[in-house]
Amino acid sequence: MNLSKPVPRTLAGIAGVVLFFVVLCPWVIIPAGHQGILLQFGAVKATLDEGIHFRIPLMQTVYKMDVRVQKEQAEADAASKDLQTVTSVIALNFHVNPSSAAHLYEQVGKDYGVTIIEPAIQEAVKAVTAKYTAEELISERRIVSADIKALLDSKIRPYGIYVDGFNVVNFDFSAKFNEAVEEKLAAEQRALKAKRDLERIKIEAEQKVASAKAEAEALRIQKQQVTTELVRLREIEVQKQAVEKWDGRLPNVTGGTVPFIQVSPDKK
């Protein structure tokens, strides 16, 4: 008697399904902020939005492309209009247009940062920096930044990569140029101080002249007010003061030819 029993077909079917889903994994989940690139035997077949999607195992694969805002920072060496060496630190925020993700992957691949963005940054910085002198790069930094951003955007937008933010983090020049700038600033400060001192001296001189003119004008007015009558009245006042102070005695004089003799009044 054969005690063995054949495995039920149902159990075999369940095992096959589990094997199919676990090993072959016929589905894919596209996370938020990503776009799925469906590849069939390596060729771009379609794009998949966020969520769960089914694929044909062994035939189809999915690449998940990040379409969120990303950051790229790079250094760029260039020469200014006056041939000064300039090292710039550039910070770029960008994102891939979801509708262009498949085309970008097909034309460039997943390393589009190295292939497209970094060379575009270098080229844009060099082209714009060459239009300005070193001093203008410092004083017109906002305009220079806007020019680089516009040129960079025009170079990467055809690939479906959009610029969200752009900043020139730093402009660095040679040591000799920095020394020259410091010396120029010091000279300007000295010239400004000398100018202020000259203006102060000029104002003080003008004040002295104005004071002297005022004093001269006061004396002139006083002189005009001194009339003959006023002089005579002054003389009378002086004589009056002298009489009031006299004690009635004549002064004794010694020496000379005719001395004064003091005569005593007769006694009765």
Side-chain angles (χ1 to χ4, degrees), residues 193-260:
K193 183 179 182 301
K195 182 180 179 181
R196 289 176 178 173
D197 291 342
L198 182 61
E199 291 177 350
R200 177 179 55 80
I201 293 172
K202 182 179 178 181
I203 292 173
E204 290 177 353
E206 291 176 350
Q207 290 175 345
K208 290 180 180 179
V209 171
S211 178
K213 288 182 177 180
E215 291 179 2
E217 181 66 16
L219 291 174
R220 185 185 66 81
I221 294 174
Q222 290 178 3
K223 185 177 180 180
Q224 289 179 350
Q225 292 176 349
V226 177
T227 61
T228 304
E229 291 78 6
L230 184 59
V231 172
R232 181 59 182 161
L233 289 174
R234 182 60 177 166
E235 290 176 352
I236 293 171
E237 184 179 352
V238 171
Q239 291 175 1
K240 182 180 178 181
Q241 291 177 356
V243 170
E244 291 175 351
K245 292 180 180 181
W246 185 48
D247 57 1
R249 296 180 180 181
L250 294 174
N252 293 327
V253 178
T254 59
T257 56
V258 184
F260 285 97

Side-chain angles (χ1 to χ4, degrees), residues 98-122:
S99 62
S100 303
H103 176 73
L104 178 63
Y105 183 87
E106 188 175 28
Q107 296 296 319
V108 181
K110 59 183 179 180
D111 295 327
Y112 55 86
V114 177
T115 306
I116 299 299
I117 297 178
E118 290 184 7
I121 290 175
Q122 299 290 334

